[in-house]
Amino acid sequence: MNKDLGFNTVCTHFGELEDTQFKGAVSPIHISTSYAFEDVAVKRYPRYFNTPNQEALNKKIARLEHGEAALVFGSGMAAISTTLLSFLKSGDHIVLQRNLYGGTLNLVLKEFDRYAIEYSFVDIPTPKAFEEKIQENTKLIYIETPSNPLLKITDITAIAALAKQHQLISVIDNTFASPVNQNPILMGIDIVIHSATKYLGGHSDILAGAVIASQTHIDTIFQLGINFGGNLSDLTVWMLDRSIKTLGLRVKKQNENAKKIAKWLNKQDAISKVYYPGLKSHPDHDLAKKQMKGGFGGMLSFELDTTINVTAFLSSLTLIKSSMSLAGVESTILSPSKTSHALLSEEERSLRGISDNLLRLSVGIEEKKDLIKDIKQALKAAKQTS
Ligand SMILES: *Cc1c(COP(=O)(O)O)cnc(C)c1O
């Protein structure tokens, strides 16, 4: 297929399977787990990431992130764990930013000791801080930007260069930005990971993950992948492929909505802080502008001031749903101190800037005026009278 297709054309058509039997307009689903033997080299099997629908989706996702190849997994965590353990063995070392998705942090803290894999965390993820943690046995650098929930930005180009300089493999979790807003491979990163449960799926009904990299790195991850078996079923592969057709449109709208809402929140007396990389007041705004070429994303956080009762505010929202996950077409909100970061002590939370009145909003594709109206009426309803 044509090499210079635009983003939305790739989303809609790239890798699609022809329906040779009925000439249908969309890719047929091939759900067979068993295929006729033709040749040892092309043995098709879902756990080998090579059924027709898996291959089509792998190609599309690789193309969206400008990588040579990709693999889709049964979850973001399957993609993350398989990738990390593909390149780390006992005695090796990895440097990670501390501000990570909770599941990733848990994987490192709960599992790596058992494999005698060493790790160091960087609190403030500057290139210098990463460099200071690099040891003789370091193999990987791992970052995530924008981060959850305060949308802090790590300098992708600088980290990629640092990794190259020390001959390390650089890995990024690009879930929050999505391929619409940020393409780390173009900035020198080796491996990009997505929880496809989030923006790639986008409708809060698919659990999936993806890894994009050079063919060589993908071959390595494939070898462990077939042993770990964290594959995605073909029905879900097809659903994800279908969902990605609207990825560009969805995220564009989410970018616009989030920016507008962030600006509006910033002007409200009852809101003491707004965290959104698209705001000039965000400490990493210039860096975000440099590396988030498509937009600043659909995630934002804000703090209610003491005149607002947090619980009452959440329960007064009618359109915006309280929900644990993110990135769906519907707007959702959560309290990090009560959910994603509940296991941390209050002191640890406050060290990370996560107060009890911080809320994280995943902005959907609804009309922004309706979302603002909802927030406005909830603020009014939750005003403390004392
Ligand atoms: C949700 C999420 C993950 C984990 O993905 P699952 O699909 O739930 O396994 C990893 N990283 C980020 C940034 C996420 O938001």
Side-chain angles (χ1 to χ4, degrees), residues 75-77 80 101 144 173 175-176 195 197-198 207-208 326:
S75 70
M77 283 314 300
I80 292 167
Y101 174 71
E144 184 178 319
D173 182 332
T175 301
F176 265 39
S195 165
T197 312
K198 314 297 163 53
L207 184 74
L326 60 108

Side-chain angles (χ1 to χ4, degrees), residues 149-180:
L150 296 180
L151 292 311
K152 291 191 176 146
I153 308 294
T154 304
D155 188 336
I156 300 173
T157 308
I159 296 301
L162 178 72
K164 285 214 163 57
Q165 186 194 333
H166 292 267
Q167 293 173 325
L168 310 175
I169 296 171
S170 51
V171 185
I172 186 172
D173 182 332
N174 203 33
T175 301
F176 265 39
S178 92
V180 180

Side-chain angles (χ1 to χ4, degrees), residues 77-139:
M77 283 314 300
I80 292 167
S81 57
T82 307
T83 300
L84 294 184
L85 292 172
S86 292
F87 296 96
L88 294 169
K89 60 179 188 323
S90 105
D92 288 344
H93 175 251
I94 176 173
V95 187
L96 312 100
Q97 80 181 51
R98 192 182 299 275
N99 204 338
L100 290 175
Y101 174 71
T104 311
L105 199 60
N106 212 42
L107 167 71
V108 172
L109 295 174
K110 297 274 160 61
E111 306 295 338
F112 278 20
D113 288 345
R114 299 198 300 133
Y115 298 94
I117 296 167
E118 296 172 29
Y119 46 87
S120 304
F121 289 109
V122 170
D123 287 314
I124 299 167
T126 61
K128 187 162 171 287
F130 273 99
E131 185 154 38
E132 282 167 7
K133 300 281 186 189
I134 295 173
Q135 310 175 172
E136 241 352 53
N137 56 344
T138 306
K139 293 291 178 336

Side-chain angles (χ1 to χ4, degrees), residues 273-340:
K273 279 198 186 116
V274 183
Y275 301 90
Y276 185 64
L279 289 180
K280 287 204 181 72
S281 55
H282 188 286
D284 303 325
H285 176 66
D286 289 339
L287 182 55
K289 215 161 125 184
K290 201 181 91 191
Q291 66 190 29
M292 300 184 79
K293 296 240 157 64
F296 299 101
M299 301 300 302
L300 64 88
S301 291
F302 58 95
E303 251 172 47
L304 299 169
D305 80 1
T306 48
T307 64
I308 308 292
N309 179 303
V310 183
T311 312
F313 174 78
L314 287 174
S315 63
S316 300
L317 290 166
T318 57
L319 194 57
I320 300 170
K321 293 191 172 98
S322 250
S323 161
M324 282 295 286
S325 203
L326 60 108
V329 291
E330 61 287 325
S331 296
T332 58
I333 195 162
L334 63 69
S335 154
S337 70
K338 290 206 181 66
T339 57
S340 53

